[in-house]
mmCIF file with all atom_site columns, all heavy atoms in Angstrom:
data_model
loop_
_atom_site.group_PDB
_atom_site.id
_atom_site.type_symbol
_atom_site.label_atom_id
_atom_site.label_alt_id
_atom_site.label_comp_id
_atom_site.label_asym_id
_atom_site.label_entity_id
_atom_site.label_seq_id
_atom_site.pdbx_PDB_ins_code
_atom_site.Cartn_x
_atom_site.Cartn_y
_atom_site.Cartn_z
_atom_site.occupancy
_atom_site.B_iso_or_equiv
_atom_site.pdbx_formal_charge
_atom_site.auth_seq_id
_atom_site.auth_comp_id
_atom_site.auth_asym_id
_atom_site.auth_atom_id
_atom_site.pdbx_PDB_model_num
ATOM 1   N N   . LYS A 1 146 ? 58.395 156.858 52.695 1.00 93.00 ? 146 LYS A N   1
ATOM 2   C CA  . LYS A 1 146 ? 59.567 156.575 53.585 1.00 93.00 ? 146 LYS A CA  1
ATOM 3   C C   . LYS A 1 146 ? 60.704 157.304 53.078 1.00 93.00 ? 146 LYS A C   1
ATOM 4   O O   . LYS A 1 146 ? 61.568 157.868 53.896 1.00 93.00 ? 146 LYS A O   1
ATOM 5   C CB  . LYS A 1 146 ? 59.809 155.143 53.736 1.00 93.00 ? 146 LYS A CB  1
ATOM 6   C CG  . LYS A 1 146 ? 58.771 154.315 54.556 1.00 93.00 ? 146 LYS A CG  1
ATOM 7   C CD  . LYS A 1 146 ? 59.138 152.877 54.749 1.00 93.00 ? 146 LYS A CD  1
ATOM 8   C CE  . LYS A 1 146 ? 58.111 152.219 55.585 1.00 93.00 ? 146 LYS A CE  1
ATOM 9   N NZ  . LYS A 1 146 ? 58.462 150.717 55.760 1.00 93.00 ? 146 LYS A NZ  1
ATOM 10  N N   . THR A 1 147 ? 60.880 157.349 51.791 1.00 95.00 ? 147 THR A N   1
ATOM 11  C CA  . THR A 1 147 ? 62.127 157.988 51.228 1.00 95.00 ? 147 THR A CA  1
ATOM 12  C C   . THR A 1 147 ? 62.130 159.530 51.595 1.00 95.00 ? 147 THR A C   1
ATOM 13  O O   . THR A 1 147 ? 63.139 160.113 51.864 1.00 95.00 ? 147 THR A O   1
ATOM 14  C CB  . THR A 1 147 ? 62.173 157.828 49.691 1.00 95.00 ? 147 THR A CB  1
ATOM 15  O OG1 . THR A 1 147 ? 60.940 158.236 49.120 1.00 95.00 ? 147 THR A OG1 1
ATOM 16  C CG2 . THR A 1 147 ? 62.431 156.324 49.383 1.00 95.00 ? 147 THR A CG2 1
ATOM 17  N N   . ASP A 1 148 ? 60.903 160.068 51.484 1.00 95.00 ? 148 ASP A N   1
ATOM 18  C CA  . ASP A 1 148 ? 60.881 161.552 51.808 1.00 95.00 ? 148 ASP A CA  1
ATOM 19  C C   . ASP A 1 148 ? 61.143 161.840 53.317 1.00 95.00 ? 148 ASP A C   1
ATOM 20  O O   . ASP A 1 148 ? 61.768 162.738 53.634 1.00 95.00 ? 148 ASP A O   1
ATOM 21  C CB  . ASP A 1 148 ? 59.430 162.103 51.416 1.00 95.00 ? 148 ASP A CB  1
ATOM 22  C CG  . ASP A 1 148 ? 59.118 162.025 49.928 1.00 95.00 ? 148 ASP A CG  1
ATOM 23  O OD1 . ASP A 1 148 ? 60.118 162.273 49.192 1.00 95.00 ? 148 ASP A OD1 1
ATOM 24  O OD2 . ASP A 1 148 ? 57.992 161.736 49.632 1.00 95.00 ? 148 ASP A OD2 1
ATOM 25  N N   . ILE A 1 149 ? 60.635 160.976 54.156 1.00 95.00 ? 149 ILE A N   1
ATOM 26  C CA  . ILE A 1 149 ? 60.893 161.023 55.582 1.00 95.00 ? 149 ILE A CA  1
ATOM 27  C C   . ILE A 1 149 ? 62.490 160.935 55.799 1.00 95.00 ? 149 ILE A C   1
ATOM 28  O O   . ILE A 1 149 ? 62.991 161.654 56.596 1.00 95.00 ? 149 ILE A O   1
ATOM 29  C CB  . ILE A 1 149 ? 60.161 160.088 56.377 1.00 95.00 ? 149 ILE A CB  1
ATOM 30  C CG1 . ILE A 1 149 ? 58.707 160.393 56.341 1.00 95.00 ? 149 ILE A CG1 1
ATOM 31  C CG2 . ILE A 1 149 ? 60.602 160.020 57.884 1.00 95.00 ? 149 ILE A CG2 1
ATOM 32  C CD1 . ILE A 1 149 ? 57.712 159.364 57.010 1.00 95.00 ? 149 ILE A CD1 1
ATOM 33  N N   . SER A 1 150 ? 62.988 159.952 55.168 1.00 96.00 ? 150 SER A N   1
ATOM 34  C CA  . SER A 1 150 ? 64.533 159.669 55.370 1.00 96.00 ? 150 SER A CA  1
ATOM 35  C C   . SER A 1 150 ? 65.291 160.910 54.867 1.00 96.00 ? 150 SER A C   1
ATOM 36  O O   . SER A 1 150 ? 66.213 161.319 55.615 1.00 96.00 ? 150 SER A O   1
ATOM 37  C CB  . SER A 1 150 ? 64.949 158.475 54.543 1.00 96.00 ? 150 SER A CB  1
ATOM 38  O OG  . SER A 1 150 ? 64.296 157.259 55.085 1.00 96.00 ? 150 SER A OG  1
ATOM 39  N N   . ARG A 1 151 ? 64.988 161.514 53.810 1.00 97.00 ? 151 ARG A N   1
ATOM 40  C CA  . ARG A 1 151 ? 65.644 162.638 53.344 1.00 97.00 ? 151 ARG A CA  1
ATOM 41  C C   . ARG A 1 151 ? 65.467 163.807 54.266 1.00 97.00 ? 151 ARG A C   1
ATOM 42  O O   . ARG A 1 151 ? 66.418 164.623 54.571 1.00 97.00 ? 151 ARG A O   1
ATOM 43  C CB  . ARG A 1 151 ? 65.176 163.059 51.869 1.00 97.00 ? 151 ARG A CB  1
ATOM 44  C CG  . ARG A 1 151 ? 65.533 162.114 50.831 1.00 97.00 ? 151 ARG A CG  1
ATOM 45  C CD  . ARG A 1 151 ? 64.749 162.422 49.465 1.00 97.00 ? 151 ARG A CD  1
ATOM 46  N NE  . ARG A 1 151 ? 65.005 163.833 49.125 1.00 97.00 ? 151 ARG A NE  1
ATOM 47  C CZ  . ARG A 1 151 ? 64.061 164.512 48.568 1.00 97.00 ? 151 ARG A CZ  1
ATOM 48  N NH1 . ARG A 1 151 ? 62.901 164.088 48.203 1.00 97.00 ? 151 ARG A NH1 1
ATOM 49  N NH2 . ARG A 1 151 ? 64.300 165.806 48.231 1.00 97.00 ? 151 ARG A NH2 1
ATOM 50  N N   . PHE A 1 152 ? 64.234 164.045 54.715 1.00 97.00 ? 152 PHE A N   1
ATOM 51  C CA  . PHE A 1 152 ? 64.027 165.097 55.763 1.00 97.00 ? 152 PHE A CA  1
ATOM 52  C C   . PHE A 1 152 ? 64.871 164.936 56.987 1.00 97.00 ? 152 PHE A C   1
ATOM 53  O O   . PHE A 1 152 ? 65.476 165.900 57.464 1.00 97.00 ? 152 PHE A O   1
ATOM 54  C CB  . PHE A 1 152 ? 62.640 165.148 56.064 1.00 97.00 ? 152 PHE A CB  1
ATOM 55  C CG  . PHE A 1 152 ? 62.246 165.941 57.290 1.00 97.00 ? 152 PHE A CG  1
ATOM 56  C CD1 . PHE A 1 152 ? 62.325 167.331 57.289 1.00 97.00 ? 152 PHE A CD1 1
ATOM 57  C CD2 . PHE A 1 152 ? 61.705 165.314 58.443 1.00 97.00 ? 152 PHE A CD2 1
ATOM 58  C CE1 . PHE A 1 152 ? 62.075 168.036 58.360 1.00 97.00 ? 152 PHE A CE1 1
ATOM 59  C CE2 . PHE A 1 152 ? 61.532 166.060 59.605 1.00 97.00 ? 152 PHE A CE2 1
ATOM 60  C CZ  . PHE A 1 152 ? 61.625 167.419 59.547 1.00 97.00 ? 152 PHE A CZ  1
ATOM 61  N N   . LEU A 1 153 ? 64.942 163.750 57.548 1.00 97.00 ? 153 LEU A N   1
ATOM 62  C CA  . LEU A 1 153 ? 65.613 163.443 58.789 1.00 97.00 ? 153 LEU A CA  1
ATOM 63  C C   . LEU A 1 153 ? 67.033 163.640 58.539 1.00 97.00 ? 153 LEU A C   1
ATOM 64  O O   . LEU A 1 153 ? 67.836 164.022 59.482 1.00 97.00 ? 153 LEU A O   1
ATOM 65  C CB  . LEU A 1 153 ? 65.332 162.045 59.320 1.00 97.00 ? 153 LEU A CB  1
ATOM 66  C CG  . LEU A 1 153 ? 63.858 161.775 59.823 1.00 97.00 ? 153 LEU A CG  1
ATOM 67  C CD1 . LEU A 1 153 ? 63.728 160.383 60.269 1.00 97.00 ? 153 LEU A CD1 1
ATOM 68  C CD2 . LEU A 1 153 ? 63.579 162.817 60.991 1.00 97.00 ? 153 LEU A CD2 1
ATOM 69  N N   . LYS A 1 154 ? 67.597 163.330 57.375 1.00 97.00 ? 154 LYS A N   1
ATOM 70  C CA  . LYS A 1 154 ? 68.980 163.515 57.010 1.00 97.00 ? 154 LYS A CA  1
ATOM 71  C C   . LYS A 1 154 ? 69.317 165.036 57.061 1.00 97.00 ? 154 LYS A C   1
ATOM 72  O O   . LYS A 1 154 ? 70.426 165.464 57.560 1.00 97.00 ? 154 LYS A O   1
ATOM 73  C CB  . LYS A 1 154 ? 69.367 162.969 55.721 1.00 97.00 ? 154 LYS A CB  1
ATOM 74  C CG  . LYS A 1 154 ? 70.873 163.010 55.328 1.00 97.00 ? 154 LYS A CG  1
ATOM 75  C CD  . LYS A 1 154 ? 71.136 162.287 54.071 1.00 97.00 ? 154 LYS A CD  1
ATOM 76  C CE  . LYS A 1 154 ? 72.638 162.319 53.698 1.00 97.00 ? 154 LYS A CE  1
ATOM 77  N NZ  . LYS A 1 154 ? 72.946 161.606 52.407 1.00 97.00 ? 154 LYS A NZ  1
ATOM 78  N N   . VAL A 1 155 ? 68.423 165.892 56.606 1.00 98.00 ? 155 VAL A N   1
ATOM 79  C CA  . VAL A 1 155 ? 68.637 167.380 56.566 1.00 98.00 ? 155 VAL A CA  1
ATOM 80  C C   . VAL A 1 155 ? 68.612 167.847 58.072 1.00 98.00 ? 155 VAL A C   1
ATOM 81  O O   . VAL A 1 155 ? 69.473 168.665 58.434 1.00 98.00 ? 155 VAL A O   1
ATOM 82  C CB  . VAL A 1 155 ? 67.555 167.995 55.706 1.00 98.00 ? 155 VAL A CB  1
ATOM 83  C CG1 . VAL A 1 155 ? 67.645 169.583 55.923 1.00 98.00 ? 155 VAL A CG1 1
ATOM 84  C CG2 . VAL A 1 155 ? 67.608 167.673 54.247 1.00 98.00 ? 155 VAL A CG2 1
ATOM 85  N N   . VAL A 1 156 ? 67.672 167.378 58.786 1.00 97.00 ? 156 VAL A N   1
ATOM 86  C CA  . VAL A 1 156 ? 67.478 167.819 60.140 1.00 97.00 ? 156 VAL A CA  1
ATOM 87  C C   . VAL A 1 156 ? 68.620 167.482 61.040 1.00 97.00 ? 156 VAL A C   1
ATOM 88  O O   . VAL A 1 156 ? 69.140 168.149 61.926 1.00 97.00 ? 156 VAL A O   1
ATOM 89  C CB  . VAL A 1 156 ? 66.182 167.342 60.746 1.00 97.00 ? 156 VAL A CB  1
ATOM 90  C CG1 . VAL A 1 156 ? 66.083 167.557 62.261 1.00 97.00 ? 156 VAL A CG1 1
ATOM 91  C CG2 . VAL A 1 156 ? 64.981 167.941 60.018 1.00 97.00 ? 156 VAL A CG2 1
ATOM 92  N N   . GLY A 1 157 ? 69.213 166.181 60.839 1.00 97.00 ? 157 GLY A N   1
ATOM 93  C CA  . GLY A 1 157 ? 70.172 165.644 61.713 1.00 97.00 ? 157 GLY A CA  1
ATOM 94  C C   . GLY A 1 157 ? 69.695 165.103 62.975 1.00 97.00 ? 157 GLY A C   1
ATOM 95  O O   . GLY A 1 157 ? 68.562 165.197 63.302 1.00 97.00 ? 157 GLY A O   1
ATOM 96  N N   . SER A 1 158 ? 70.534 164.600 63.822 1.00 94.00 ? 158 SER A N   1
ATOM 97  C CA  . SER A 1 158 ? 70.130 163.913 65.053 1.00 94.00 ? 158 SER A CA  1
ATOM 98  C C   . SER A 1 158 ? 70.051 164.764 66.272 1.00 94.00 ? 158 SER A C   1
ATOM 99  O O   . SER A 1 158 ? 69.561 164.404 67.283 1.00 94.00 ? 158 SER A O   1
ATOM 100 C CB  . SER A 1 158 ? 71.153 162.742 65.336 1.00 94.00 ? 158 SER A CB  1
ATOM 101 O OG  . SER A 1 158 ? 72.446 163.295 65.532 1.00 94.00 ? 158 SER A OG  1
ATOM 102 N N   . LYS A 1 159 ? 70.572 166.095 66.224 1.00 95.00 ? 159 LYS A N   1
ATOM 103 C CA  . LYS A 1 159 ? 70.644 166.878 67.369 1.00 95.00 ? 159 LYS A CA  1
ATOM 104 C C   . LYS A 1 159 ? 69.385 167.712 67.434 1.00 95.00 ? 159 LYS A C   1
ATOM 105 O O   . LYS A 1 159 ? 68.996 168.101 68.557 1.00 95.00 ? 159 LYS A O   1
ATOM 106 C CB  . LYS A 1 159 ? 71.916 167.818 67.283 1.00 95.00 ? 159 LYS A CB  1
ATOM 107 C CG  . LYS A 1 159 ? 73.179 167.047 67.424 1.00 95.00 ? 159 LYS A CG  1
ATOM 108 C CD  . LYS A 1 159 ? 74.366 168.032 67.538 1.00 95.00 ? 159 LYS A CD  1
ATOM 109 C CE  . LYS A 1 159 ? 75.677 167.341 67.695 1.00 95.00 ? 159 LYS A CE  1
ATOM 110 N NZ  . LYS A 1 159 ? 76.842 168.193 67.720 1.00 95.00 ? 159 LYS A NZ  1
ATOM 111 N N   . ARG A 1 160 ? 68.718 167.985 66.376 1.00 97.00 ? 160 ARG A N   1
ATOM 112 C CA  . ARG A 1 160 ? 67.461 168.767 66.425 1.00 97.00 ? 160 ARG A CA  1
ATOM 113 C C   . ARG A 1 160 ? 66.328 167.800 66.926 1.00 97.00 ? 160 ARG A C   1
ATOM 114 O O   . ARG A 1 160 ? 66.339 166.630 66.559 1.00 97.00 ? 160 ARG A O   1
ATOM 115 C CB  . ARG A 1 160 ? 67.030 169.437 65.100 1.00 97.00 ? 160 ARG A CB  1
ATOM 116 C CG  . ARG A 1 160 ? 67.992 170.566 64.619 1.00 97.00 ? 160 ARG A CG  1
ATOM 117 C CD  . ARG A 1 160 ? 67.513 171.101 63.315 1.00 97.00 ? 160 ARG A CD  1
ATOM 118 N NE  . ARG A 1 160 ? 68.336 172.299 62.887 1.00 97.00 ? 160 ARG A NE  1
ATOM 119 C CZ  . ARG A 1 160 ? 69.506 172.147 62.226 1.00 97.00 ? 160 ARG A CZ  1
ATOM 120 N NH1 . ARG A 1 160 ? 69.891 170.961 61.824 1.00 97.00 ? 160 ARG A NH1 1
ATOM 121 N NH2 . ARG A 1 160 ? 70.170 173.314 61.892 1.00 97.00 ? 160 ARG A NH2 1
ATOM 122 N N   . GLN A 1 161 ? 65.441 168.331 67.643 1.00 98.00 ? 161 GLN A N   1
ATOM 123 C CA  . GLN A 1 161 ? 64.187 167.618 68.071 1.00 98.00 ? 161 GLN A CA  1
ATOM 124 C C   . GLN A 1 161 ? 63.068 167.831 67.091 1.00 98.00 ? 161 GLN A C   1
ATOM 125 O O   . GLN A 1 161 ? 62.772 169.015 66.703 1.00 98.00 ? 161 GLN A O   1
ATOM 126 C CB  . GLN A 1 161 ? 63.794 167.971 69.408 1.00 98.00 ? 161 GLN A CB  1
ATOM 127 C CG  . GLN A 1 161 ? 64.944 167.726 70.466 1.00 98.00 ? 161 GLN A CG  1
ATOM 128 C CD  . GLN A 1 161 ? 65.359 166.264 70.548 1.00 98.00 ? 161 GLN A CD  1
ATOM 129 O OE1 . GLN A 1 161 ? 64.550 165.374 70.709 1.00 98.00 ? 161 GLN A OE1 1
ATOM 130 N NE2 . GLN A 1 161 ? 66.649 166.039 70.439 1.00 98.00 ? 161 GLN A NE2 1
#
Side-chain angles (χ1 to χ4, degrees):
K146 289 184 178 180
T147 53
D148 296 324
I149 293 176
S150 296
R151 289 172 56 215
F152 165 68
L153 293 178
K154 187 175 181 180
V155 172
V156 170
S158 60
K159 293 184 179 180
R160 291 183 177 87
Q161 300 301 306

